[in-house]
């Protein structure tokens, strides 16, 4: 695989993107309808969350048939047409592969329950459970029918972990990957793929709820190389990304180094835990800027120096909207949205845009627990009550941290249900859709800023290929970094706060050009006063004080006006 580092990925949560049937659930034909919109934005690949047959206990991450389409989303002909229409617009598709576990309604598990020893070996079944905890709360073990034994489920009890040590399991899963490759898919996102390396015999692990016993085990690298060789590794144009749960920098370098032939890149989530009080998700606390900056710098530098590659993102289907977490959205939503975008799109790695991010969508601001459907959120609410929290406090925590925050319907226009559906949406629309929607914002400063960032990555090797070096590490409110490629340098300054801050510009940049800014009056000088949530990128070339033929001006509008 030879990764094209100029590419930008757009994530669609299919249930919530566009419904064309009126049943309240997004579908393939809705995606087909909006492909021109995605082409206008400029993205190269669309990652789809699971659309396979599923009982929907975990919003499709509990798969009951890996090689079929859930009729909720359409049929296989719709899927194939969607892939073809995408290619006409130079957009490829990346599918979610959930290969750590399958639904207990999957044929494999049902045959195992019926006593078939061949399929029982597809799972982890023991006489006694270990002390491991499920990531959704409670024990990671559940009774295996009426046998007196227990099966492992690191997530919901209806998601049984698959035994990758079994050659037959690997063969079946590699068939799945190749089935979708044959459908024209050009990318895969592998869900919690660093959890597949369990030991043959599972034992107690009191540390960190058992995570060290099954996370980033060395054999995972062997499995990934096997899968690479048996499936996508022969296609240089393929893109793969591994979702890495509670991972380490050292392992992500290994997972993503091209010479190891494992994956193209990795997701990690450490930067999205900086507003976890005492490391606990179900809490409400201001984000820790020093920790955020330190994480971005350490990961950016390490991956750059050692040849790894990161998937860069602020939002996805499992996270509250970054704007609510990191920005004063009452006063600076647009400035904050563009600053957050620049902080990753100008960095080293492949940027991912989550649907609605490009228009500055925010959390839904629901009124009661009755509005939520996410199993993790409902379980967490009950857990918080059991811990002694009052109903109002527990609800406020769910409001801040629920996965449903990002799963609300895409806001297309100001009509009922945000233009998502003529029926009742499976999840209630957010309150902001009358003001924040594509129809209002497709010519607005956030969308056009994203277009500019995407074009810059395609046109300027310093952005797609350059190295990463931390800058202004002592600043209490500016996250800054330098990129370098051949004789070019780029300094990116991001003010993470709603107050101005002055910085002394290094001499090498004082004769540079402004590549992009989210304020119209940005200038280069010895001292720069960064405005609230301002992002500013300054470019220099050793052999030219100006970019030849006004190249930057032709690529994008240098300054965005709010």
């Amino acid at each position: 695989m030879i990764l094209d580092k100029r590419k930008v990925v757009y994530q669609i949560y299919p249930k919530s993107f566009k419904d064309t049937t009126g049943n309240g659930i997004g579908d393939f034909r809705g995606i087909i309808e909006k492909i021109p919109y995605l082409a206008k934005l400029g993205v190269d690949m669309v990652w789809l969350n699971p659309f396979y047959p599923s009982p929907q206990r975990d919003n499709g991450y509990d798969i009951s048939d890996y090689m079929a389409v859930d009729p909720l989303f359409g049929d296989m002909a719709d899927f194939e047409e969607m892939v073809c229409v995408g290619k006409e617009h130079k957009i490829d598709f990346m599918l979610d592969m959930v290969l750590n576990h399958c639904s207990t309604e999957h044929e494999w598990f049902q045959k195992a329950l019926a006593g078939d020893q061949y399929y029982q070996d597809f799972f982890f079944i023991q006489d006694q459970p270990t002390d491991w905890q499920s990531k959704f709360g409670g024990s990671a073990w559940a009774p295996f029918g009426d046998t007196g034994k227990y099966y492992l489920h690191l997530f919901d009890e209806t998601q049984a972990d698959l035994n990758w040590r079994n050659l037959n399991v690997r063969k079946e899963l590699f068939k799945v990957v190749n089935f979708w490759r044959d459908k024209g898919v050009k990318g895969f996102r592998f869900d919690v793929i660093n959890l597949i390396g369990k030991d043959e015999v599972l034992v107690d692990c009191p540390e960190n709820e058992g995570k060290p016993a099954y996370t980033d085990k060395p054999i995972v690298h062997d499995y990934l190389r096997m899968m690479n060789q048996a499936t996508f590794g022969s296609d240089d144009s393929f893109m793969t990304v591994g979702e890495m749960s509670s991972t380490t920098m050292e392992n992500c370098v290994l997972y993503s180094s091209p010479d190891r032939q494992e994956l193209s890149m990795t997701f990690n989530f450490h930067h999205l835990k900086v507003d976890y009080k005492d490391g606990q998700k179900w809490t409400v606390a201001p984000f820790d800027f020093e920790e955020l900056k330190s994480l971005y710098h350490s990961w950016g530098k390490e991956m750059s120096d050692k040849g790894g590659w990161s998937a860069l993102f602020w939002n996805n289907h499992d996270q509250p909207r970054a704007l609510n977490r990191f920005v004063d959205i009452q006063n600076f939503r647009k400035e904050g949205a563009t600053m957050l975008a620049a902080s990753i799109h100008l960095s080293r790695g492949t940027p991912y845009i989550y649907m609605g991010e490009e228009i500055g969508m925010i959390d839904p601001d629901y009124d009661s627990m009755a509005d939520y459907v996410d199993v993790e959120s409902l379980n967490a609410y009950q857990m918080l009550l059991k811990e002694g929290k009052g109903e109002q406090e527990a609800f406020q925590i769910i409001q801040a941290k629920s996965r449903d925050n990002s799963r609300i319907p895409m806001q297309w226009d100001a009509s009922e249900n945000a233009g998502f559906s003529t029926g009742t949406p499976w999840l209630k629309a957010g309150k902001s859709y009358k003001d924040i929607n594509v129809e209002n914002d497709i010519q607005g400063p956030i969308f056009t800023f994203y277009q500019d960032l995407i074009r810059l990555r395609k046109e300027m090797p310093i952005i797609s290929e350059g190295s990463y070096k931390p800058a202004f590490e002592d600043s209490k409110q500016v996250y800054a970094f330098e990129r370098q490629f051949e004789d070019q340098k780029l300094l990116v300054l991001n003010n993470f706060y709603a107050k101005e801050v002055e910085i002394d510009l290094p001499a090498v940049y004082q004769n540079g050009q402004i590549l992009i800014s989210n304020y119209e009056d940005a200038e280069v000088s010895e001292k720069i006063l960064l405005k609230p949530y301002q992002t500013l990128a300054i470019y220099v070339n050793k052999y030219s004080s100006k970019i030849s033929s006004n190249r930057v001006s032709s690529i994008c509008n240098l300054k965005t006006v709010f």
Side-chain angles (χ1 to χ4, degrees):
M1 295 183 298
I2 301 173
L3 177 63
D4 186 344
K5 297 175 180 178
R6 298 169 299 177
K7 290 187 175 181
V8 176
V9 184
Y10 186 94
Q11 183 189 353
I12 286 177
Y13 195 68
K15 286 180 73 172
S16 300
F17 194 62
K18 185 68 173 73
D19 168 27
T20 61
T21 67
N23 68 352
I25 295 173
D27 48 54
F28 292 141
R29 302 223 64 84
I31 296 171
I32 293 170
E33 177 187 316
K34 298 300 183 181
I35 284 176
Y37 166 78
L38 300 174
K40 181 178 178 67
L41 180 59
V43 298
D44 305 278
M45 183 170 280
V46 169
W47 156 29
L48 299 178
N49 290 97
F51 51 75
Y52 319 101
S54 166
Q56 296 292 324
R57 281 279 298 191
D58 186 25
N59 274 280
Y61 282 86
D62 48 329
I63 297 172
S64 55
D65 186 345
Y66 283 105
M67 293 188 284
V69 166
D70 192 315
L72 282 172
F73 301 107
D75 57 25
M76 193 62 79
D78 292 325
F79 175 85
E80 292 168 350
E81 181 182 344
M82 178 184 69
V83 171
C84 289
V85 173
K87 289 187 186 302
E88 291 170 5
H89 288 81
K90 299 182 179 178
I91 292 174
D92 288 315
F93 281 86
M94 170 185 282
L95 302 192
D96 228 317
M97 291 282 104
V98 188
L99 307 184
N100 174 72
H101 49 263
C102 68
S103 169
T104 51
E105 292 189 16
H106 194 287
E107 179 185 25
W108 301 338
F109 194 83
Q110 288 300 306
K111 286 184 175 180
L113 267 181
D116 189 324
Q117 181 62 49
Y118 176 83
Y119 285 103
Q120 286 183 359
D121 289 342
F122 273 42
F123 303 96
F124 295 93
I125 300 168
Q126 298 190 171
D127 292 331
Q128 294 296 326
T130 68
D131 58 359
W132 302 0
Q133 293 294 296
S134 162
K135 291 175 181 290
F136 287 174
S139 173
W141 297 86
F144 183 63
D146 56 4
T147 65
K149 297 178 182 290
Y150 299 82
Y151 70 92
L152 177 68
H153 63 90
L154 293 181
F155 294 87
D156 187 72
E157 65 180 18
T158 64
Q159 293 168 294
D161 279 61
L162 289 161
N163 179 16
W164 275 68
R165 288 187 175 271
N166 183 338
L167 174 62
N168 295 314
V169 169
R170 298 199 301 272
K171 285 182 177 178
E172 290 294 332
L173 295 179
F174 297 167
K175 280 183 195 175
V176 170
V177 174
N178 283 326
F179 174 85
W180 291 108
R181 282 184 62 221
D182 291 342
K183 295 288 183 185
V185 169
K186 300 297 285 186
F188 292 115
R189 178 261 191 191
F190 294 102
D191 186 66
V192 294
I193 197 67
N194 64 325
L195 307 186
I196 61 174
K198 287 96 168 178
D199 295 331
E200 288 185 81
V201 178
L202 309 184
V203 298
D204 284 352
C205 176
E207 182 186 349
N208 199 12
E209 299 181 332
K211 290 184 179 70
Y214 58 78
T215 303
D216 282 332
K217 305 290 274 188
I219 199 170
V220 173
H221 298 285
D222 298 330
Y223 292 151
L224 290 178
R225 279 191 291 274
M226 291 177 197
M227 181 164 63
N228 183 307
Q229 292 165 13
T231 60
F232 53 80
S234 59
D235 186 346
D236 280 345
S237 65
F238 225 81
M239 181 186 290
T240 57
V241 56
E243 180 200 29
M244 302 300 170
S245 175
S246 303
T247 191
T248 65
M249 201 181 308
E250 293 74 20
N251 272 296
C252 283
V253 168
L254 298 177
Y255 291 133
S256 63
S257 292
D259 59 346
R260 292 179 58 84
Q261 298 182 322
E262 297 184 30
L263 299 171
S264 306
M265 66 192 80
T266 60
F267 280 119
N268 80 82
F269 300 92
H270 300 295
H271 66 294
L272 293 178
K273 297 178 180 180
V274 297
D275 57 355
Y276 286 17
K277 186 177 181 181
D278 299 324
Q280 299 300 307
K281 172 177 178 175
W282 299 104
T283 56
V284 175
F287 79 98
D288 184 334
F289 175 68
E290 288 300 321
E291 184 183 3
L292 178 69
K293 183 179 62 173
S294 174
L295 284 165
Y296 265 140
H297 282 328
S298 57
W299 278 81
K301 188 174 188 307
E302 185 88 356
M303 296 295 270
S304 177
D305 292 349
K306 296 187 177 179
W309 194 254
S310 292
L312 306 174
F313 70 105
W314 283 113
N315 300 281
N316 69 20
H317 61 289
D318 281 336
Q319 300 290 334
R321 293 279 177 176
L323 279 174
N324 289 75
R325 302 172 75 170
F326 300 105
V327 172
D328 173 2
I329 57 174
Q330 299 302 317
N331 299 298
F332 297 103
R333 182 179 66 89
K334 294 175 181 178
E335 293 87 348
T338 47
M339 183 277 292
L340 290 178
S343 70
I344 62 171
H345 282 256
L346 298 178
S347 191
R348 183 182 180 278
T350 295
Y352 284 65
I353 301 168
Y354 182 70
M355 62 183 216
E357 178 184 325
E358 73 279 9
I359 58 168
M361 278 179 60
I362 57 176
D363 290 347
D365 192 25
Y366 284 154
D367 295 315
S368 74
M369 285 303 301
D371 294 325
Y372 293 91
V373 301
D374 173 41
V375 60
E376 184 192 33
S377 301
L378 300 178
N379 289 348
Y381 180 71
Q382 295 302 322
M383 175 194 74
L384 291 166
L385 294 180
K386 287 178 183 176
E387 289 176 355
K389 300 281 194 300
E391 290 185 0
Q392 186 60 27
E393 184 182 2
F395 175 64
Q396 287 174 345
I397 293 171
I398 301 300
Q399 267 190 318
K401 294 295 177 69
S402 173
R403 301 189 299 184
D404 280 342
N405 285 328
S406 57
R407 297 175 180 182
I408 60 173
M410 178 69 176
Q411 295 170 190
W412 293 108
D413 57 42
S415 66
E416 189 175 4
N417 299 324
F420 162 71
S421 175
T422 57
T424 302
W426 73 278
L427 182 63
K428 187 176 174 182
K431 291 181 180 178
S432 66
Y433 73 85
K434 291 188 177 180
D435 298 315
I436 303 171
N437 59 67
V438 170
E439 188 175 70
N440 281 352
D441 295 316
I442 197 166
Q443 301 297 331
I446 302 176
F447 186 89
T448 55
F449 197 85
Y450 271 84
Q451 288 178 309
D452 292 342
L453 290 170
I454 293 168
R455 280 196 289 269
L456 283 169
R457 174 165 287 268
K458 289 176 170 50
E459 294 289 337
M460 301 190 71
I462 191 170
I463 296 173
S464 58
E465 301 281 350
S467 61
Y468 180 102
K469 180 182 176 183
F472 292 94
E473 291 182 81
D474 294 334
S475 175
K476 300 300 182 186
Q477 66 183 84
V478 176
Y479 165 56
F481 54 87
E482 287 184 280
R483 308 294 309 284
Q484 183 163 355
F485 181 76
E486 296 177 345
D487 294 303
Q488 304 165 57
K489 283 191 172 186
L490 182 68
L491 176 65
V492 183
L493 305 167
N494 303 286
N495 182 6
F496 264 75
Y497 287 90
K499 58 184 180 180
E500 295 181 338
V501 58
E502 186 177 74
I503 65 161
D504 294 319
L505 192 65
V508 67
Y509 291 102
Q510 289 176 15
N511 291 318
Q513 283 182 280
I514 294 175
L515 187 64
I516 193 166
S517 174
N518 59 355
Y519 278 83
E520 66 167 339
D521 56 352
E523 294 181 357
V524 177
S525 60
E526 290 183 18
K527 292 186 180 294
I528 289 181
L529 187 67
L530 291 176
K531 294 183 178 179
Y533 299 105
Q534 183 169 5
T535 188
L536 180 63
I538 302 172
Y539 172 89
V540 294
N541 187 323
K542 180 179 178 181
Y543 293 110
S544 175
S545 60
K546 297 291 181 183
I547 301 174
S548 60
S549 303
N550 292 317
R551 187 168 178 225
V552 175
S553 298
S554 69
I555 295 167
C556 69
N557 297 319
L558 297 187
K559 300 162 185 177
T560 301
V561 182
F562 290 103

